[in-house]
Amino acid sequence: MKEITTNDLQEQLEQGTSFHLIDVREDDEVAQGMIRTAIHIPLGEIPERLDEMDKDKSYIIICRSGGRSSRACEFLEAQGYDVTNMVGGMLAWQGEVE
């Protein structure tokens, strides 16, 4: 499974690199803030919302600590998606959140 650290992601975002970010945390968790450009798809809804994703794009998957996003990555990879797990999740994120 591909991985990216929060520091690497933050640096690339600050340099203007654009990413497709999916936050798989629950509603109450994202209510506390999420990365500005992320799309919220709770982990349990991913199988039924695959039509919102494009197999021709790469995605970075985000959760609170990296565990749920890792499971989401495993599932999505098996479905043919190009995904990367954000290691450490939002607990390790030091960037701006909305």
Side-chain angles (χ1 to χ4, degrees):
M1 172 184 320
K2 293 187 289 185
E3 297 181 332
I4 189 168
T5 66
T6 56
N7 287 341
D8 286 345
L9 178 58
Q10 183 176 353
E11 286 174 13
Q12 291 182 46
L13 287 170
E14 288 172 356
Q15 293 171 4
T17 305
S18 142
F19 292 99
H20 301 283
L21 308 174
I22 297 178
D23 192 323
V24 299
R25 295 177 298 154
E26 296 301 318
D27 293 340
D28 61 320
E29 293 173 295
V30 298
Q32 298 171 22
M34 58 189 280
I35 299 173
R36 186 176 334 116
T37 58
I39 296 168
H40 178 221
I41 302 177
L43 180 62
E45 295 179 15
I46 286 187
E48 63 202 45
R49 294 179 63 182
L50 289 177
D51 60 338
E52 296 177 36
M53 299 177 67
D54 183 343
K55 287 187 179 180
D56 294 328
K57 295 180 180 175
S58 299
Y59 295 91
I60 295 176
I61 311 299
I62 301 162
C63 72
R64 181 174 179 268
S65 64
R68 282 176 284 177
S69 56
S70 176
R71 292 197 308 274
C73 284
E74 289 175 3
F75 173 79
L76 290 166
E77 281 178 341
Q79 306 303 311
Y81 291 90
D82 180 15
V83 292
T84 302
N85 185 33
M86 187 176 88
V87 181
M90 292 302 288
L91 290 177
W93 180 257
Q94 299 299 314
E96 179 181 334
V97 294
E98 284 191 339

